[in-house]
mmCIF file of all heavy atoms in Angstrom:
data_model
loop_
_atom_site.group_PDB
_atom_site.id
_atom_site.type_symbol
_atom_site.label_atom_id
_atom_site.label_comp_id
_atom_site.label_asym_id
_atom_site.label_seq_id
_atom_site.Cartn_x
_atom_site.Cartn_y
_atom_site.Cartn_z
ATOM 1 N N LYS A 94 168.667 100.843 95.219
ATOM 2 C CA LYS A 94 169.214 99.515 94.916
ATOM 3 C C LYS A 94 168.060 98.622 94.453
ATOM 4 O O LYS A 94 166.971 98.643 95.024
ATOM 5 C CB LYS A 94 169.864 98.930 96.175
ATOM 6 C CG LYS A 94 170.630 97.644 95.909
ATOM 7 C CD LYS A 94 171.244 97.119 97.200
ATOM 8 C CE LYS A 94 171.668 95.687 97.068
ATOM 9 N NZ LYS A 94 172.996 95.457 96.624
ATOM 10 N N ARG A 95 168.331 97.827 93.383
ATOM 11 C CA ARG A 95 167.297 96.931 92.865
ATOM 12 C C ARG A 95 167.608 95.505 93.275
ATOM 13 O O ARG A 95 168.749 95.058 93.106
ATOM 14 C CB ARG A 95 167.269 96.997 91.334
ATOM 15 C CG ARG A 95 166.865 98.357 90.843
ATOM 16 C CD ARG A 95 167.099 98.460 89.374
ATOM 17 N NE ARG A 95 166.262 99.503 88.816
ATOM 18 C CZ ARG A 95 166.005 99.645 87.529
ATOM 19 N NH1 ARG A 95 166.538 98.820 86.664
ATOM 20 N NH2 ARG A 95 165.239 100.615 87.107
ATOM 21 N N ILE A 96 166.609 94.826 93.780
ATOM 22 C CA ILE A 96 166.835 93.429 94.129
ATOM 23 C C ILE A 96 165.636 92.559 93.775
ATOM 24 O O ILE A 96 164.554 93.060 93.470
ATOM 25 C CB ILE A 96 167.206 93.223 95.622
ATOM 26 C CG1 ILE A 96 166.084 93.694 96.535
ATOM 27 C CG2 ILE A 96 168.482 93.912 95.998
ATOM 28 C CD1 ILE A 96 166.389 93.379 97.979
ATOM 29 N N LYS A 97 165.871 91.240 93.816
ATOM 30 C CA LYS A 97 164.813 90.274 93.537
ATOM 31 C C LYS A 97 163.862 90.268 94.722
ATOM 32 O O LYS A 97 164.284 90.010 95.858
ATOM 33 C CB LYS A 97 165.454 88.887 93.428
ATOM 34 C CG LYS A 97 165.379 88.275 92.070
ATOM 35 C CD LYS A 97 166.137 86.975 92.079
ATOM 36 C CE LYS A 97 165.128 85.863 92.171
ATOM 37 N NZ LYS A 97 165.607 84.549 92.210
ATOM 38 N N ALA A 98 162.576 90.544 94.471
ATOM 39 C CA ALA A 98 161.630 90.697 95.582
ATOM 40 C C ALA A 98 161.476 89.415 96.393
ATOM 41 O O ALA A 98 161.180 89.458 97.578
ATOM 42 C CB ALA A 98 160.278 91.131 95.030
ATOM 43 N N ASP A 99 161.686 88.244 95.734
ATOM 44 C CA ASP A 99 161.463 86.999 96.475
ATOM 45 C C ASP A 99 162.742 86.463 97.123
ATOM 46 O O ASP A 99 162.761 85.357 97.624
ATOM 47 C CB ASP A 99 160.797 85.941 95.578
ATOM 48 C CG ASP A 99 161.581 85.689 94.309
ATOM 49 O OD1 ASP A 99 162.689 86.260 94.167
ATOM 50 O OD2 ASP A 99 161.096 84.918 93.464
ATOM 51 N N ASP A 100 163.804 87.264 97.122
ATOM 52 C CA ASP A 100 165.022 86.849 97.823
ATOM 53 C C ASP A 100 164.959 87.386 99.259
ATOM 54 O O ASP A 100 165.412 88.498 99.554
ATOM 55 C CB ASP A 100 166.266 87.379 97.084
ATOM 56 C CG ASP A 100 167.551 86.758 97.609
ATOM 57 O OD1 ASP A 100 167.587 86.403 98.810
ATOM 58 O OD2 ASP A 100 168.507 86.642 96.832
ATOM 59 N N GLU A 101 164.334 86.562 100.127
ATOM 60 C CA GLU A 101 164.017 87.066 101.472
ATOM 61 C C GLU A 101 165.263 87.496 102.250
ATOM 62 O O GLU A 101 165.251 88.501 102.957
ATOM 63 C CB GLU A 101 163.240 86.009 102.259
ATOM 64 C CG GLU A 101 161.801 85.903 101.757
ATOM 65 C CD GLU A 101 161.113 84.636 102.223
ATOM 66 O OE1 GLU A 101 161.548 84.050 103.226
ATOM 67 O OE2 GLU A 101 160.129 84.238 101.560
ATOM 68 N N GLU A 102 166.354 86.715 102.084
ATOM 69 C CA GLU A 102 167.600 87.028 102.805
ATOM 70 C C GLU A 102 168.090 88.421 102.442
ATOM 71 O O GLU A 102 168.423 89.249 103.282
ATOM 72 C CB GLU A 102 168.714 86.029 102.424
ATOM 73 C CG GLU A 102 168.609 84.667 103.071
ATOM 74 C CD GLU A 102 168.724 84.751 104.581
ATOM 75 O OE1 GLU A 102 169.601 85.465 105.110
ATOM 76 O OE2 GLU A 102 167.887 84.095 105.220
ATOM 77 N N LEU A 103 168.100 88.669 101.095
ATOM 78 C CA LEU A 103 168.612 89.936 100.584
ATOM 79 C C LEU A 103 167.733 91.109 101.043
ATOM 80 O O LEU A 103 168.233 92.162 101.445
ATOM 81 C CB LEU A 103 168.630 89.863 99.049
ATOM 82 C CG LEU A 103 169.767 90.568 98.325
ATOM 83 C CD1 LEU A 103 171.108 90.034 98.783
ATOM 84 C CD2 LEU A 103 169.634 90.341 96.810
ATOM 85 N N VAL A 104 166.418 90.889 100.998
ATOM 86 C CA VAL A 104 165.491 91.939 101.418
ATOM 87 C C VAL A 104 165.730 92.270 102.891
ATOM 88 O O VAL A 104 165.885 93.441 103.271
ATOM 89 C CB VAL A 104 164.010 91.514 101.195
ATOM 90 C CG1 VAL A 104 163.053 92.548 101.775
ATOM 91 C CG2 VAL A 104 163.728 91.321 99.709
ATOM 92 N N LYS A 105 165.833 91.207 103.711
ATOM 93 C CA LYS A 105 166.039 91.414 105.165
ATOM 94 C C LYS A 105 167.341 92.162 105.425
ATOM 95 O O LYS A 105 167.383 93.125 106.182
ATOM 96 C CB LYS A 105 166.080 90.048 105.871
ATOM 97 C CG LYS A 105 164.758 89.687 106.539
ATOM 98 C CD LYS A 105 164.950 88.513 107.490
ATOM 99 C CE LYS A 105 164.258 87.273 106.928
ATOM 100 N NZ LYS A 105 164.782 86.006 107.380
ATOM 101 N N THR A 106 168.433 91.691 104.766
ATOM 102 C CA THR A 106 169.743 92.320 104.988
ATOM 103 C C THR A 106 169.686 93.783 104.607
ATOM 104 O O THR A 106 170.215 94.650 105.308
ATOM 105 C CB THR A 106 170.825 91.625 104.121
ATOM 106 O OG1 THR A 106 170.614 90.245 104.173
ATOM 107 C CG2 THR A 106 172.227 91.962 104.562
ATOM 108 N N HIS A 107 169.028 94.073 103.474
ATOM 109 C CA HIS A 107 168.973 95.452 103.012
ATOM 110 C C HIS A 107 168.162 96.317 103.980
ATOM 111 O O HIS A 107 168.536 97.453 104.282
ATOM 112 C CB HIS A 107 168.377 95.516 101.607
ATOM 113 C CG HIS A 107 168.578 96.850 100.971
ATOM 114 N ND1 HIS A 107 169.779 97.217 100.421
ATOM 115 C CD2 HIS A 107 167.753 97.914 100.840
ATOM 116 C CE1 HIS A 107 169.685 98.464 99.978
ATOM 117 N NE2 HIS A 107 168.465 98.904 100.202
ATOM 118 N N GLU A 108 167.061 95.764 104.474
ATOM 119 C CA GLU A 108 166.211 96.533 105.393
ATOM 120 C C GLU A 108 166.957 96.851 106.684
ATOM 121 O O GLU A 108 166.791 97.928 107.254
ATOM 122 C CB GLU A 108 164.896 95.794 105.654
ATOM 123 C CG GLU A 108 163.975 95.926 104.436
ATOM 124 C CD GLU A 108 162.671 95.174 104.567
ATOM 125 O OE1 GLU A 108 162.511 94.412 105.541
ATOM 126 O OE2 GLU A 108 161.810 95.330 103.676
ATOM 127 N N LYS A 109 167.810 95.911 107.107
ATOM 128 C CA LYS A 109 168.607 96.147 108.321
ATOM 129 C C LYS A 109 169.517 97.354 108.110
ATOM 130 O O LYS A 109 169.692 98.182 109.006
ATOM 131 C CB LYS A 109 169.454 94.911 108.640
ATOM 132 C CG LYS A 109 168.810 94.021 109.689
ATOM 133 C CD LYS A 109 169.778 92.956 110.166
ATOM 134 C CE LYS A 109 169.023 91.670 110.440
ATOM 135 N NZ LYS A 109 169.804 90.473 110.138
ATOM 136 N N GLU A 110 170.100 97.450 106.898
ATOM 137 C CA GLU A 110 171.031 98.555 106.602
ATOM 138 C C GLU A 110 170.369 99.922 106.781
ATOM 139 O O GLU A 110 170.979 100.868 107.235
ATOM 140 C CB GLU A 110 171.519 98.468 105.145
ATOM 141 C CG GLU A 110 172.706 97.554 104.960
ATOM 142 C CD GLU A 110 172.997 97.338 103.487
ATOM 143 O OE1 GLU A 110 172.795 98.269 102.677
ATOM 144 O OE2 GLU A 110 173.412 96.212 103.150
ATOM 145 N N HIS A 111 169.087 100.029 106.394
ATOM 146 C CA HIS A 111 168.397 101.321 106.445
ATOM 147 C C HIS A 111 167.522 101.506 107.675
ATOM 148 O O HIS A 111 166.798 102.492 107.767
ATOM 149 C CB HIS A 111 167.511 101.495 105.215
ATOM 150 C CG HIS A 111 168.289 101.722 103.960
ATOM 151 N ND1 HIS A 111 169.240 102.687 103.842
ATOM 152 C CD2 HIS A 111 168.243 101.092 102.768
ATOM 153 C CE1 HIS A 111 169.753 102.651 102.624
ATOM 154 N NE2 HIS A 111 169.174 101.685 101.965
ATOM 155 N N GLY A 112 167.513 100.523 108.558
ATOM 156 C CA GLY A 112 166.615 100.608 109.712
ATOM 157 C C GLY A 112 165.178 100.632 109.228
ATOM 158 O O GLY A 112 164.824 99.950 108.265
ATOM 159 N N ASP A 113 164.343 101.475 109.866
ATOM 160 C CA ASP A 113 162.914 101.498 109.521
ATOM 161 C C ASP A 113 162.625 102.237 108.221
ATOM 162 O O ASP A 113 161.522 102.185 107.688
ATOM 163 C CB ASP A 113 162.110 102.187 110.639
ATOM 164 C CG ASP A 113 162.201 101.394 111.912
ATOM 165 O OD1 ASP A 113 162.520 100.191 111.805
ATOM 166 O OD2 ASP A 113 161.976 101.983 112.996
ATOM 167 N N LYS A 114 163.632 102.980 107.722
ATOM 168 C CA LYS A 114 163.358 103.881 106.596
ATOM 169 C C LYS A 114 163.152 103.187 105.249
ATOM 170 O O LYS A 114 162.693 103.782 104.299
ATOM 171 C CB LYS A 114 164.534 104.866 106.462
ATOM 172 C CG LYS A 114 164.445 105.994 107.473
ATOM 173 C CD LYS A 114 165.484 107.044 107.178
ATOM 174 C CE LYS A 114 166.535 107.038 108.254
ATOM 175 N NZ LYS A 114 167.871 107.199 107.934
ATOM 176 N N SER A 115 163.551 101.905 105.186
ATOM 177 C CA SER A 115 163.534 101.232 103.897
ATOM 178 C C SER A 115 162.111 101.000 103.392
ATOM 179 O O SER A 115 161.308 100.362 104.062
ATOM 180 C CB SER A 115 164.244 99.895 104.047
ATOM 181 O OG SER A 115 164.564 99.402 102.814
ATOM 182 N N THR A 116 161.779 101.567 102.248
ATOM 183 C CA THR A 116 160.502 101.235 101.614
ATOM 184 C C THR A 116 160.789 100.858 100.174
ATOM 185 O O THR A 116 161.771 101.303 99.583
ATOM 186 C CB THR A 116 159.507 102.418 101.617
ATOM 187 O OG1 THR A 116 160.189 103.545 101.116
ATOM 188 C CG2 THR A 116 158.925 102.671 102.983
ATOM 189 N N TRP A 117 159.918 100.032 99.629
ATOM 190 C CA TRP A 117 160.181 99.441 98.314
ATOM 191 C C TRP A 117 159.132 99.885 97.302
ATOM 192 O O TRP A 117 157.981 100.130 97.652
ATOM 193 C CB TRP A 117 160.136 97.910 98.424
ATOM 194 C CG TRP A 117 161.146 97.335 99.379
ATOM 195 C CD1 TRP A 117 160.915 96.925 100.660
ATOM 196 C CD2 TRP A 117 162.537 97.118 99.137
ATOM 197 N NE1 TRP A 117 162.068 96.456 101.230
ATOM 198 C CE2 TRP A 117 163.084 96.548 100.308
ATOM 199 C CE3 TRP A 117 163.379 97.331 98.039
ATOM 200 C CZ2 TRP A 117 164.425 96.202 100.421
ATOM 201 C CZ3 TRP A 117 164.709 96.974 98.161
ATOM 202 C CH2 TRP A 117 165.226 96.428 99.339
ATOM 203 N N THR A 118 159.531 99.910 96.035
ATOM 204 C CA THR A 118 158.554 100.123 94.960
ATOM 205 C C THR A 118 157.738 98.843 94.813
ATOM 206 O O THR A 118 158.145 97.780 95.296
ATOM 207 C CB THR A 118 159.262 100.417 93.622
ATOM 208 O OG1 THR A 118 160.148 99.323 93.347
ATOM 209 C CG2 THR A 118 160.031 101.716 93.660
ATOM 210 N N GLU A 119 156.616 98.921 94.133
ATOM 211 C CA GLU A 119 155.813 97.724 93.853
ATOM 212 C C GLU A 119 156.643 96.792 92.969
ATOM 213 O O GLU A 119 157.395 97.267 92.096
ATOM 214 C CB GLU A 119 154.547 98.124 93.071
ATOM 215 C CG GLU A 119 153.446 98.727 93.929
ATOM 216 C CD GLU A 119 152.990 97.779 95.024
ATOM 217 O OE1 GLU A 119 152.637 96.637 94.701
ATOM 218 O OE2 GLU A 119 153.022 98.187 96.203
ATOM 219 N N PRO A 120 156.535 95.460 93.142
ATOM 220 C CA PRO A 120 157.322 94.546 92.295
ATOM 221 C C PRO A 120 156.954 94.672 90.812
ATOM 222 O O PRO A 120 155.773 94.791 90.479
ATOM 223 C CB PRO A 120 156.927 93.159 92.808
ATOM 224 C CG PRO A 120 156.167 93.366 94.055
ATOM 225 C CD PRO A 120 155.716 94.781 94.126
ATOM 226 N N LYS A 121 157.986 94.703 89.980
ATOM 227 C CA LYS A 121 157.777 94.690 88.514
ATOM 228 C C LYS A 121 158.394 93.405 87.995
ATOM 229 O O LYS A 121 159.466 93.012 88.466
ATOM 230 C CB LYS A 121 158.543 95.853 87.864
ATOM 231 C CG LYS A 121 157.733 97.080 87.646
ATOM 232 C CD LYS A 121 158.469 97.947 86.621
ATOM 233 C CE LYS A 121 158.496 99.383 87.114
ATOM 234 N NZ LYS A 121 159.614 100.160 86.663
ATOM 235 N N MET A 122 157.731 92.744 87.020
ATOM 236 C CA MET A 122 158.253 91.474 86.535
ATOM 237 C C MET A 122 159.279 91.712 85.421
ATOM 238 O O MET A 122 159.026 92.486 84.502
ATOM 239 C CB MET A 122 157.112 90.597 86.011
ATOM 240 C CG MET A 122 156.090 90.237 87.068
ATOM 241 S SD MET A 122 156.804 89.609 88.619
ATOM 242 C CE MET A 122 157.005 87.891 88.223
ATOM 243 N N PHE A 123 160.453 91.054 85.536
ATOM 244 C CA PHE A 123 161.487 91.162 84.514
ATOM 245 C C PHE A 123 161.785 89.817 83.894
ATOM 246 O O PHE A 123 161.926 88.834 84.607
ATOM 247 C CB PHE A 123 162.779 91.755 85.100
ATOM 248 C CG PHE A 123 162.782 93.243 85.004
ATOM 249 C CD1 PHE A 123 162.068 94.009 85.911
ATOM 250 C CD2 PHE A 123 163.458 93.874 83.973
ATOM 251 C CE1 PHE A 123 162.027 95.384 85.805
ATOM 252 C CE2 PHE A 123 163.425 95.245 83.857
ATOM 253 C CZ PHE A 123 162.713 96.006 84.775
ATOM 254 N N ASN A 124 161.875 89.769 82.577
ATOM 255 C CA ASN A 124 162.149 88.501 81.914
ATOM 256 C C ASN A 124 163.637 88.169 82.006
ATOM 257 O O ASN A 124 164.487 89.042 81.862
ATOM 258 C CB ASN A 124 161.711 88.559 80.446
ATOM 259 C CG ASN A 124 161.633 87.167 79.866
ATOM 260 O OD1 ASN A 124 162.648 86.583 79.507
ATOM 261 N ND2 ASN A 124 160.440 86.611 79.824
ATOM 262 N N LEU A 125 163.928 86.889 82.242
ATOM 263 C CA LEU A 125 165.311 86.479 82.493
ATOM 264 C C LEU A 125 166.047 86.032 81.226
ATOM 265 O O LEU A 125 167.254 85.774 81.274
ATOM 266 C CB LEU A 125 165.341 85.325 83.499
ATOM 267 C CG LEU A 125 164.810 85.637 84.903
ATOM 268 C CD1 LEU A 125 164.783 84.386 85.751
ATOM 269 C CD2 LEU A 125 165.696 86.678 85.571
ATOM 270 N N LEU A 126 165.329 85.897 80.121
ATOM 271 C CA LEU A 126 166.002 85.420 78.896
ATOM 272 C C LEU A 126 166.967 86.476 78.360
ATOM 273 O O LEU A 126 166.663 87.669 78.359
ATOM 274 C CB LEU A 126 164.973 85.094 77.813
ATOM 275 C CG LEU A 126 164.117 83.845 78.036
ATOM 276 C CD1 LEU A 126 163.074 83.716 76.928
ATOM 277 C CD2 LEU A 126 164.980 82.587 78.109
ATOM 278 N N THR A 127 168.128 86.016 77.898
ATOM 279 C CA THR A 127 169.129 86.918 77.339
ATOM 280 C C THR A 127 168.958 86.953 75.817
ATOM 281 O O THR A 127 169.011 85.908 75.169
ATOM 282 C CB THR A 127 170.553 86.389 77.668
ATOM 283 O OG1 THR A 127 170.592 86.038 79.043
ATOM 284 C CG2 THR A 127 171.615 87.409 77.359
ATOM 285 N N GLU A 128 168.769 88.151 75.290
ATOM 286 C CA GLU A 128 168.542 88.247 73.841
ATOM 287 C C GLU A 128 169.868 88.254 73.092
ATOM 288 O O GLU A 128 170.857 88.826 73.557
ATOM 289 C CB GLU A 128 167.799 89.548 73.513
ATOM 290 C CG GLU A 128 166.384 89.524 74.051
ATOM 291 C CD GLU A 128 165.688 90.880 73.922
ATOM 292 O OE1 GLU A 128 166.246 91.788 73.279
ATOM 293 O OE2 GLU A 128 164.587 91.011 74.479
ATOM 294 N N VAL A 129 169.867 87.635 71.892
ATOM 295 C CA VAL A 129 171.015 87.759 70.983
ATOM 296 C C VAL A 129 170.465 88.077 69.601
ATOM 297 O O VAL A 129 169.300 87.795 69.307
ATOM 298 C CB VAL A 129 171.866 86.472 70.886
ATOM 299 C CG1 VAL A 129 172.714 86.265 72.100
ATOM 300 C CG2 VAL A 129 171.019 85.253 70.614
ATOM 301 N N TYR A 130 171.315 88.657 68.754
ATOM 302 C CA TYR A 130 170.868 89.030 67.409
ATOM 303 C C TYR A 130 171.761 88.339 66.394
ATOM 304 O O TYR A 130 172.987 88.421 66.464
ATOM 305 C CB TYR A 130 170.879 90.552 67.260
ATOM 306 C CG TYR A 130 169.816 91.143 68.155
ATOM 307 C CD1 TYR A 130 170.088 91.436 69.494
ATOM 308 C CD2 TYR A 130 168.515 91.302 67.691
ATOM 309 C CE1 TYR A 130 169.097 91.900 70.341
ATOM 310 C CE2 TYR A 130 167.509 91.767 68.540
ATOM 311 C CZ TYR A 130 167.810 92.069 69.852
ATOM 312 O OH TYR A 130 166.811 92.502 70.679
ATOM 313 N N LEU A 131 171.130 87.637 65.456
ATOM 314 C CA LEU A 131 171.875 86.795 64.524
ATOM 315 C C LEU A 131 171.855 87.391 63.121
ATOM 316 O O LEU A 131 170.906 88.102 62.753
ATOM 317 C CB LEU A 131 171.252 85.399 64.460
ATOM 318 C CG LEU A 131 171.071 84.677 65.795
ATOM 319 C CD1 LEU A 131 170.310 83.374 65.595
ATOM 320 C CD2 LEU A 131 172.426 84.400 66.445
ATOM 321 N N GLY A 132 172.881 87.069 62.324
ATOM 322 C CA GLY A 132 172.923 87.520 60.936
ATOM 323 C C GLY A 132 173.677 88.819 60.808
ATOM 324 O O GLY A 132 174.016 89.472 61.803
ATOM 325 N N ILE A 133 173.947 89.213 59.535
ATOM 326 C CA ILE A 133 174.740 90.426 59.335
ATOM 327 C C ILE A 133 173.923 91.549 58.680
ATOM 328 O O ILE A 133 174.323 92.691 58.686
ATOM 329 C CB ILE A 133 176.015 90.144 58.491
ATOM 330 C CG1 ILE A 133 175.654 89.342 57.244
ATOM 331 C CG2 ILE A 133 177.075 89.433 59.301
ATOM 332 C CD1 ILE A 133 176.753 89.322 56.221
ATOM 333 N N THR A 134 172.776 91.215 58.127
ATOM 334 C CA THR A 134 171.986 92.283 57.496
ATOM 335 C C THR A 134 170.821 92.655 58.414
ATOM 336 O O THR A 134 170.308 91.839 59.164
ATOM 337 C CB THR A 134 171.413 91.824 56.133
ATOM 338 O OG1 THR A 134 170.790 90.569 56.329
ATOM 339 C CG2 THR A 134 172.499 91.737 55.072
ATOM 340 N N GLU A 135 170.416 93.937 58.322
ATOM 341 C CA GLU A 135 169.300 94.414 59.143
ATOM 342 C C GLU A 135 167.983 94.037 58.466
ATOM 343 O O GLU A 135 167.915 94.047 57.240
ATOM 344 C CB GLU A 135 169.374 95.941 59.294
ATOM 345 C CG GLU A 135 170.610 96.443 60.018
ATOM 346 C CD GLU A 135 170.674 96.054 61.499
ATOM 347 O OE1 GLU A 135 169.620 95.663 62.045
ATOM 348 O OE2 GLU A 135 171.760 96.118 62.082
#
Side-chain angles (χ1 to χ4, degrees):
K94 188 180 164 90
R95 295 169 158 196
I96 61 175
K97 246 175 102 181
D99 55 5
D100 191 330
E101 286 164 22
E102 283 297 315
L103 215 58
V104 174
K105 260 194 250 155
T106 318
H107 193 78
E108 285 177 352
K109 262 191 216 146
E110 275 171 34
H111 289 307
D113 296 339
K114 281 189 249 140
S115 196
T116 50
W117 300 100
T118 57
E119 282 301 306
K121 265 198 226 152
M122 298 311 275
F123 271 79
N124 196 281
L125 297 175
L126 289 176
T127 313
E128 292 172 8
V129 285
Y130 293 86
L131 306 174
I133 48 166
T134 49
E135 297 293 344

